[in-house]
Amino acid sequence: MEAQATATVKEALAALYHHSDDAVRTAADRWLQQFQHTLDAWQVADSLLHDESSNLETLIFCSQTLRSKVQRDFEELPSEAFRRLQDSLYELLKKFSKGPPKVRTQICIAMAALAVHVPVEDWGGGGIVNWLSDEMKSQPEFIPSFLELLIVLPQESSSHKIAARPERRRQFENDLCSSAEVALSLLTACLGIDQLKEQVLEGFASWLRFCHGISASTLATHPLVYTALSSLNSEQFLEAAVNVTSELIHFTVSREASGITEQFPLIQLLIPYVMGLKEQLKDSSRDEDDVKAIARLLADMGDSYVELIATGSDDAMQIVNALLEVTSHPEFDISSMTFNFWHHLTLNLTDRGSHASYGSEASIEAERNRRLQIFHRPFEILVFMVSSQVEYPELYHTFSEEDQRDFRHARYAVSDVLVDATDVLGGDPTLKILFTRLIQSCGNCAGQNQKWQPVEAALFCIQAIAKSVSVEEKEILPQVMSLLPTFPHQEQLLQTVCSLIGAFSKWIDAAPSELPILPPLVDILNKGMRTSEDTAAAASVAFKYICEDCRRKFSGSLDGLFQIYQIAVSGVGGYKVSSEDSLHLVEALSVVITALPPDHANRALELICQPVINPLQEIIQQGETVLQQVPVRQLTVHIDRLSCIFRNVKLPEVVAEAVNRYWPILKSIFDHRAWDTRTMESLCRSCKFAVRTCGRFMGVTIGAILTEIQTLYQQHNQSCFLYLSSEVIKIFGPDPACAGYLAGLIQVLFGHTVQLLRVIQDFTARPDIADDCFLLSSRCIRYCPDLFVPTEMFPRLVDCAMAGITIQHREACKSILNFLSDVFDLAKSPEGGKYRELINTIILQRGATLARIMIASLTGALPSGRLEEVSYVLVSLSRAVGGNMLNWARECITLIPQQALTDSERSRFLNIISDASSGSSLGSLTDRFAEISDVCRRNKTVQDIVQGALWPHDSTFTVAPQPL
C-alpha cells in the first residue's frame, strides 16, 4: 500500500512540474493537496525524505507535507509514535544540514511544532533547548541546522498553524522563557563562526521576546548586544542588526512591572548607537533598503520612548531633531515612518493625564504649557516639511490607478499630521505657516510658465486643518478667500479650491457681512460643476456644506439656488455632476428649505420635488407596460433624490403634506414594480425617511403604506418591506393609538416569514429576509413587546431563529443571535417581568436543543468571528434559566469524545456556564469561551469530530404550521 502511494506521489509531482497540459497539472495539484490530509502522508513523506534518490521537487513537497502534518495532524499518531517521529526528524535535520535550505527550514519548523505539542519531559527533562545544547556540543558539524532550529523555536511558538491546545501553548512559551539564558549562551557560542553571524543576530532578535527573566543591566553588557550594536555600521549585517536593536528597544518598554528606571542601563547604551546612524540618512551612496532600515529604527526608537522624549530634555530634543530629518526625507515611504511618532507625541503633550504626576491642577497646567512651548518650534518645522510632500508630481497623469491611489493615501496621511500639529501649535498659528507657503507658491505661479502644483499643495494643507481654525480668525482667511477667484481653473487645483470652500463653510457663515465673500465663492463652485466629474463632485459636496452652514444667507437667493439645482438634476446645461453627486445638491437645497418659514417652505419643497416627481409621473402616464419595462436606474435615480429630500427637510408637517400629495405616484411604482428588488429597496428607503421625518404627522398615508407592504410582501418576498416595517415599529410602536394596525402588520409579516424560513437551507437561500426579519423582531421586543411577546407568533419566531442560527451569512447570523439574546434579556429585565413566565416556558421547552445548537456554534458550526455574539447568547441563556442551562450543557458536552475534549476541558467549560449564571463579567466569560472554542477548532479533524458529535441533532425541525 505504501509503495503504491509513494509511486503515485512521484507521478503526481512529475505531472505537476513537467506535464504540458494545464488540466493535468491542475488535477495533479488537487490530488497532492488531498493526499496531504491523509494518514498515509506521514509514512510516504518521511520515506521519500530519507530516500537518497528523491529529487528536489519531491524533497520540497515532502518536507512541506511532513511539516504541515506535524503542525496540524499530530494527534492522528499514537502516543508511542512520538519517539520515532522525533528520531526521524533529527536524522533529516542532520541530513539536510548543508541544504537544500528550503527543505532544512521545513524540517526545523516541523521539529519546533513537535516541541509545541509535547511536554518538556519528552525531550529528556531539560526541554528542546537543552537537548539542542547537548547536540550542538557533541556534533558541531551540524551546527547550521541546529542553529536554524534554535531560531525558529520562538518564531513558531505563536503560530496558529500548530493545532495545540491553548494551555499547552502557554506552557511551551513558559518553557522558552525558562530556557532563554541557555539559548543566548548557544547563540553567543556561535558568534565565533563568521558565516553564521547574520543567523545569530536573527536568532537573538527572535529570543528577546522570551528574555523576561534577564535584567536590562545584564543585557547591556551581553556580547550579543555588543555584536548587534557594532554591526549597525556594517553594510553586510545592517538589516539583522536593526532588527535586534528594534527588539531591544521594545524589550526596554515592555517590562512595565520593573519600571522604566531599571531599563536605563540598556536605554542609555542603545540611544547613542541609534543616533549615530543619523548622518547615514543623507548619504546618497547608501542603498535605499539600508536607508529605510535606519529610518525605521529611528522612528521605532522615537515611538517607543515618546514619554521620555515628551519631557523636552536636551537629549530628547536631539532625538526629535533626528526624527525631523527622517520626516524631511524626499521618499514618502521613509518620511512617513515618523508619522506615528508625531501623533503619539501630540497625544502625550496635550493630554492632561500625561502630567498627572505633577499633582495640583496649577502644576499640571504649568508643566503642560512648558512642554508645549519647548516643542513649538519642532512642530512648526514639521508643518513646513510635510506640507511640501503633498504636491502633485509633474507626471501624475501618467501614473497607474494604483499609484494614483497611493498618492491620495499619502496626502491623507499628511493631513493627519497637520491636524496633530494644530493640537500643539493651535489652528490659527498653523494656518499662518501654511499661508506663508501659499504666498511663496503664488509667486511661483505668476508668469507664463506658471506651476499650479505648489499652490494646490498649500491649499490642500489649509483645507486639511479647517476644523482646527477658529471661526473668528480675521487675519489670514479673508486673504485666502480673496485669492481663490484669481487662481487658474486647472482641474486638480479647482477641485481643491472647491473642497477648501466647503471645509471653511462655518467660517464663511461667521464672516462679517461687510465682506462680500459668498458670491464669488458660489461662482467658483459653479465653475467646478462645469469643468469635470471630479471637480463637480468636490463642488457638490462644498455646496452642501455651504448651504448647511450658511443657509440663512441664502434666504434671499433661492431663485439662483433652484436654478443651480435644476440644471444639476436635469442633466442639461453643461454641469458634469453625476447622479450620485447630485444628491449633495438635493441635500443642500433641503437644509436651506428647513430654515424657511412654513408658508415659504411649502412652496420651496414643491419646487425641489418637481424635477424628481415629474419624470416619474411621465413614466407612469405612459402606461403599465412602460412602467414595468423601464430600466431600473431611470426610476431609482429620482426615488433616491426623493429619499434625500424626505431625510433632510426637517419640517414634519410640510414633508407629510408632500408625502400625501405624491403617494399615488409612489403607489403606482409599488404596484407595478414590486418584483424589482432594486426599485423596491429605493422606494422603501424613501418611505423610511418619510416615516422618520414626519412621524405621527403622516396621518392616513402611513396606513396606506402598511397595507401596501403587507400585501406585496406576501406576493414578492422582498426583504426591504421588513426593513421599512422596522422603522415604522421604531416610530409608532410605543403609541397605543397605533396598536391595532401594528399588531396586524406583525402577524402578517412574521406569519409569512416563518413559512419562508423553515430549515437552514431556506436561510442560506434568503439571508436578507432572515436579517431583516430578526432586526424587526428585536425592534418589536424593544418598542412594542405587548403586541408581539404574548402572541402565538412569538414562539414560532423563536423556533424559526433556532432553525437559522448556523447560517454563515454574517449579518443574518448576527441578527438572529441578537434576537435570541434580546428574548433572554427581556425575561430578566424589570420591564419584562410580566412576560417572564411565558418566556421561561418557551425556553424550557426548547432549552436542550437550543443549548446544543449554541454549543455547536461555539465549537465550530459558526466562524470564530461570531464568537462575541455566540458567547453573549450563551451568557444570556445561562442567566435566564440558571441551573437548567448547566444541565443542558453537561448533556451536550458528554457527547464530545475524549479525543477532542479532555475531562479537565469539559470541567472548565461547565465552570464557565456556572459562572455565567452567577453574573461574572461578560468580557472574562467571552475570553474563556474563546479558549474552549480554540480547543475544539484546533484542526479540521477535531472540529469534524466535535461537530459530528453535536450534529445531527434535533435541528431538522420546521417551525410550527400556521394555525387554520
Side-chain angles (χ1 to χ4, degrees):
M1 187 69 179
E2 180 193 334
Q4 182 181 349
T6 301
T8 308
V9 167
K10 289 182 176 180
E11 290 173 12
L13 286 168
L16 176 64
Y17 288 107
H18 303 294
H19 204 284
S20 58
D21 190 333
D22 285 346
V24 173
R25 290 201 300 273
T26 301
D29 185 41
R30 189 182 305 113
W31 185 89
L32 288 166
Q33 288 186 43
Q34 292 171 351
F35 169 77
Q36 287 181 313
H37 291 277
T38 66
L39 203 56
D40 288 340
W42 286 102
Q43 190 60 48
V44 172
D46 184 71
S47 175
L48 287 172
L49 284 167
H50 285 282
D51 189 342
E52 296 296 337
S53 65
S54 294
N55 59 23
L56 179 60
E57 293 157 355
T58 302
L59 292 175
I60 290 174
F61 171 77
C62 290
S63 63
Q64 291 172 339
T65 300
L66 194 57
R67 180 262 303 158
S68 67
K69 295 296 284 184
V70 177
Q71 287 178 324
R72 184 184 60 216
D73 301 325
F74 177 70
E75 292 181 40
E76 290 179 345
L77 298 177
S79 57
E80 64 271 13
F82 159 69
R83 190 63 61 192
R84 294 199 304 274
L85 177 60
Q86 182 193 33
D87 292 343
S88 178
L89 288 172
Y90 176 51
E91 291 303 319
L92 292 172
L93 190 63
K94 293 191 291 184
K95 176 181 177 181
F96 298 113
S97 182
K98 292 185 168 62
K102 289 182 179 179
V103 177
R104 183 180 65 219
T105 297
Q106 296 301 309
I107 301 301
C108 287
I109 295 174
M111 288 201 77
L114 186 61
V116 176
H117 282 298
V118 300
V120 65
E121 306 82 53
D122 287 353
W123 292 91
I128 190 171
V129 177
N130 283 309
W131 173 84
L132 260 177
S133 176
D134 294 339
E135 296 301 320
M136 290 175 81
K137 291 171 184 174
S138 63
Q139 302 190 69
E141 66 272 24
F142 300 119
I143 279 180
S145 282
F146 297 143
L147 178 59
E148 183 166 1
L149 176 55
L150 187 65
I151 292 169
V152 302
L153 276 173
Q155 295 172 353
E156 292 300 304
S157 65
S158 57
S159 171
H160 287 281
K161 292 180 181 179
I162 301 175
R165 287 175 157 86
E167 187 176 2
R168 173 59 207 146
R169 191 185 299 278
R170 285 194 295 270
Q171 184 56 54
F172 180 69
E173 291 183 353
N174 290 335
D175 294 341
L176 291 184
C177 290
S178 302
S179 304
E181 290 194 39
V182 176
L184 296 195
S185 67
L186 293 175
L187 291 169
T188 304
C190 291
L191 282 175
I193 308 173
D194 288 342
Q195 59 267 37
L196 297 181
K197 185 174 179 180
E198 188 169 359
Q199 291 93 311
V200 169
L201 291 175
E202 182 187 352
F204 185 33
S206 297
W207 273 95
L208 273 169
R209 189 162 58 91
F210 295 94
C211 292
H212 309 306
I214 303 176
S215 69
S217 56
T218 300
L219 275 180
T221 58
H222 202 285
L224 287 169
V225 172
Y226 172 78
T227 301
L229 295 178
S230 60
S231 298
L232 288 171
N233 293 311
S234 163
E235 290 188 20
Q236 182 180 357
F237 302 116
L238 176 66
E239 184 73 27
V242 164
N243 291 337
V244 172
T245 309
S246 182
E247 289 296 332
L248 286 167
I249 290 170
H250 295 162
F251 175 89
T252 61
V253 294
S254 64
R255 296 156 62 85
E256 295 179 2
S258 57
I260 193 68
T261 54
E262 291 191 21
Q263 311 309 314
F264 277 161
L266 188 53
I267 293 174
Q268 290 169 342
L269 177 68
L270 294 173
I271 290 177
Y273 275 97
V274 178
M275 290 292 290
L277 299 171
K278 183 180 68 170
E279 296 304 316
Q280 297 185 37
L281 288 170
K282 304 174 185 176
D283 188 348
S284 58
S285 65
R286 295 292 302 216
D287 180 78
E288 184 180 348
D289 288 340
D290 288 350
V291 175
K292 284 184 177 180
I294 293 168
R296 173 168 61 86
L297 184 56
L298 283 162
D300 209 356
M301 178 178 69
D303 212 18
S304 298
Y305 296 148
V306 68
E307 291 185 14
L308 295 175
I309 292 170
T311 61
S313 67
D314 290 344
D315 289 340
M317 299 315 290
Q318 289 183 29
I319 297 175
V320 170
N321 291 333
L323 289 165
L324 282 171
E325 290 195 28
V326 178
T327 307
S328 69
H329 197 280
E331 288 292 329
F332 182 78
D333 286 348
I334 293 174
S335 66
S336 61
M337 291 178 183
T338 63
F339 287 3
N340 273 342
F341 162 74
W342 296 115
H343 176 66
H344 292 141
L345 179 59
T346 298
L347 293 178
N348 196 284
L349 293 173
T350 56
D351 182 12
R352 294 177 63 84
S354 302
H355 320 301
S357 61
Y358 285 83
S360 68
E361 283 295 315
S363 299
I364 290 173
E365 189 62 22
E367 176 61 18
R368 181 175 177 274
N369 291 334
R370 183 191 73 82
R371 294 187 180 191
L372 288 173
Q373 186 61 38
I374 289 173
F375 283 94
H376 195 274
R377 182 55 184 162
F379 271 87
E380 286 182 334
I381 297 170
L382 175 67
V383 169
F384 211 77
M385 282 179 176
V386 298
S387 62
S388 65
Q389 296 176 347
V390 298
E391 194 171 306
Y392 272 94
E394 290 284 351
L395 299 177
Y396 177 78
H397 62 282
T398 67
F399 282 15
S400 67
E401 186 176 336
E402 183 179 356
D403 288 341
Q404 289 187 1
R405 184 172 61 250
D406 288 345
F407 177 69
R408 290 194 298 272
H409 289 167
R411 282 162 63 99
Y412 299 150
V414 169
S415 296
D416 291 339
V417 175
L418 290 170
V419 171
D420 285 336
T422 64
D423 290 339
V424 175
L425 301 174
D428 294 2
T430 307
L431 176 65
K432 285 186 178 181
I433 299 170
L434 296 173
F435 182 65
T436 301
R437 183 171 282 282
L438 176 62
I439 294 302
Q440 292 173 350
S441 304
C442 290
N444 295 333
C445 195
Q448 244 178 343
N449 298 320
Q450 57 188 9
K451 287 187 66 175
W452 58 268
Q453 289 92 340
V455 174
E456 189 280 336
L459 291 174
F460 175 86
C461 293
I462 290 173
Q463 171 217 324
I465 66 164
K467 290 182 179 179
S468 303
V469 176
S470 165
V471 293
E472 291 87 19
E473 205 284 329
K474 297 177 181 178
E475 179 185 354
I476 303 299
L477 282 178
Q479 299 179 66
V480 173
M481 297 300 168
S482 65
L483 284 172
L484 297 184
T486 69
F487 293 138
H489 292 155
Q490 192 280 335
E491 183 178 336
Q492 282 93 354
L493 176 56
L494 181 57
Q495 183 179 346
T496 299
V497 168
C498 291
S499 297
L500 183 143
I501 292 170
F504 282 99
S505 57
K506 285 183 170 57
W507 181 87
I508 293 169
D509 180 55
S513 55
E514 61 268 17
L515 289 177
I517 289 175
L518 198 52
L521 298 185
V522 172
D523 289 342
I524 293 173
L525 298 182
N526 248 316
K527 179 63 179 176
M529 285 189 274
R530 297 177 187 276
T531 300
S532 71
E533 284 194 10
D534 287 339
T535 59
S540 301
V541 174
F543 215 97
K544 179 186 76 169
Y545 290 140
I546 288 290
C547 287
E548 282 179 358
D549 293 320
C550 310
R551 64 185 75 176
R552 301 192 188 282
K553 292 192 174 185
F554 282 113
S555 57
S557 311
L558 287 179
D559 291 342
L561 290 181
F562 279 116
Q563 183 179 6
I564 292 172
Y565 166 74
Q566 287 173 337
I567 294 172
V569 299
S570 67
V572 297
Y575 281 5
K576 298 182 179 179
V577 180
S578 68
S579 55
E580 288 80 11
D581 291 323
S582 71
L583 294 176
H584 296 305
L585 296 173
V586 176
E587 186 176 344
L589 267 290
S590 298
V591 296
V592 171
I593 290 172
T594 301
L596 297 176
D599 53 336
H600 292 156
N602 265 312
R603 176 57 184 156
L605 182 58
E606 190 174 347
L607 288 175
I608 194 177
C609 287
Q610 278 179 357
V612 176
I613 290 294
N614 290 346
L616 294 174
Q617 199 163 22
E618 289 172 8
I619 293 171
I620 292 168
Q621 288 170 350
Q622 293 177 54
E624 180 180 328
T625 303
V626 173
L627 178 55
Q628 289 183 337
Q629 294 178 353
V630 70
V632 172
R633 190 61 183 150
Q634 289 187 28
L635 294 172
T636 58
V637 67
H638 302 298
I639 298 172
D640 288 345
R641 288 168 180 164
L642 199 62
S643 299
C644 192
I645 294 169
F646 291 164
R647 182 181 189 178
N648 292 288
V649 177
K650 305 296 186 184
L651 299 170
E653 293 182 76
V654 174
V655 174
E657 286 183 31
V659 173
N660 185 52
R661 184 164 57 247
Y662 302 132
W663 171 243
I665 295 172
L666 302 182
K667 186 179 186 304
S668 293
I669 301 173
F670 267 127
D671 289 341
H672 298 296
R673 296 286 292 215
W675 49 269
D676 174 7
T677 300
R678 286 174 59 195
T679 299
M680 287 301 100
E681 286 176 348
S682 178
L683 198 53
C684 285
R685 192 181 307 115
S686 183
C687 291
K688 180 193 80 169
F689 289 125
V691 169
R692 185 178 293 177
T693 296
C694 303
R696 295 174 180 81
F697 290 104
M698 287 195 72
V700 295
T701 311
I702 186 63
I705 292 174
L706 296 183
T707 300
E708 191 77 15
I709 63 177
Q710 287 177 55
T711 303
L712 295 178
Y713 179 60
Q714 295 176 85
Q715 295 172 358
H716 298 281
N717 306 328
Q718 298 280 17
S719 66
C720 55
F721 297 132
L722 298 170
Y723 165 75
L724 173 57
S725 301
S726 289
E727 191 67 27
V728 172
I729 292 294
K730 179 180 178 182
I731 300 298
F732 295 100
D735 188 349
C738 303
Y741 64 79
L742 290 185
L745 174 74
I746 290 170
Q747 291 298 309
V748 170
L749 296 183
F750 287 152
H752 185 63
T753 301
V754 297
Q755 299 305 314
L756 295 176
L757 304 176
R758 291 176 170 272
V759 294
I760 189 63
Q761 291 82 1
D762 297 334
F763 285 80
T764 302
R766 304 175 186 271
D768 292 342
I769 286 182
D771 182 17
D772 289 322
C773 168
F774 288 100
L775 283 174
L776 175 59
S777 303
S778 288
R779 284 270 174 96
C780 289
I781 289 174
R782 196 168 297 120
Y783 294 104
C784 55
D786 287 344
L787 305 181
F788 178 42
V789 177
T791 69
E792 56 85 24
M793 193 54 62
F794 180 66
R796 296 176 69 201
L797 258 293
V798 174
D799 287 339
C800 185
M802 289 170 62
I805 286 172
T806 55
I807 184 175
Q808 300 301 296
H809 186 279
R810 182 179 63 180
E811 299 306 322
C813 180
K814 285 187 174 183
S815 294
I816 292 169
L817 294 173
N818 288 339
F819 164 69
L820 288 171
S821 59
D822 286 344
V823 170
F824 306 145
D825 288 344
L826 180 64
K828 294 292 287 183
S829 67
E831 58 273 18
K834 57 184 175 180
Y835 315 115
R836 189 166 297 134
E837 185 176 349
L838 171 64
I839 293 175
N840 285 344
T841 300
I842 292 170
I843 296 173
L844 291 172
Q845 289 172 349
R846 297 157 176 80
T849 300
L850 179 56
R852 193 164 171 179
I853 297 172
M854 292 311 304
I855 292 172
S857 300
L858 177 74
T859 56
L862 285 176
S864 55
R866 299 295 100 76
L867 177 67
E868 187 175 338
E869 290 82 9
V870 170
S871 298
Y872 188 70
V873 173
L874 285 168
V875 170
S876 299
L877 181 57
S878 300
R879 290 174 179 170
V881 296
N884 289 294
M885 180 60 187
L886 191 60
N887 293 332
W888 298 330
R890 186 177 290 109
E891 291 173 9
C892 293
I893 215 77
T894 54
L895 298 173
I896 301 174
Q898 184 80 17
Q899 176 186 352
L901 211 59
T902 64
D903 288 340
S904 64
E905 288 162 344
R906 296 170 205 272
S907 178
R908 278 208 301 275
F909 178 72
L910 294 175
N911 285 338
I912 301 172
I913 297 295
S914 176
D915 290 345
S917 303
S918 61
S920 293
S921 70
L922 179 62
S924 65
L925 291 170
T926 301
D927 291 341
R928 292 162 67 189
F929 275 130
E931 185 156 310
I932 293 295
S933 178
D934 287 345
V935 169
C936 294
R937 299 171 191 257
R938 60 187 184 272
N939 62 33
K940 187 176 184 302
T941 301
V942 170
Q943 188 166 336
D944 288 346
I945 290 172
V946 172
Q947 293 304 304
L950 297 175
W951 299 84
H953 50 65
D954 188 16
S955 65
T956 57
F957 63 89
T958 60
V959 294
Q962 191 169 6
L964 297 174

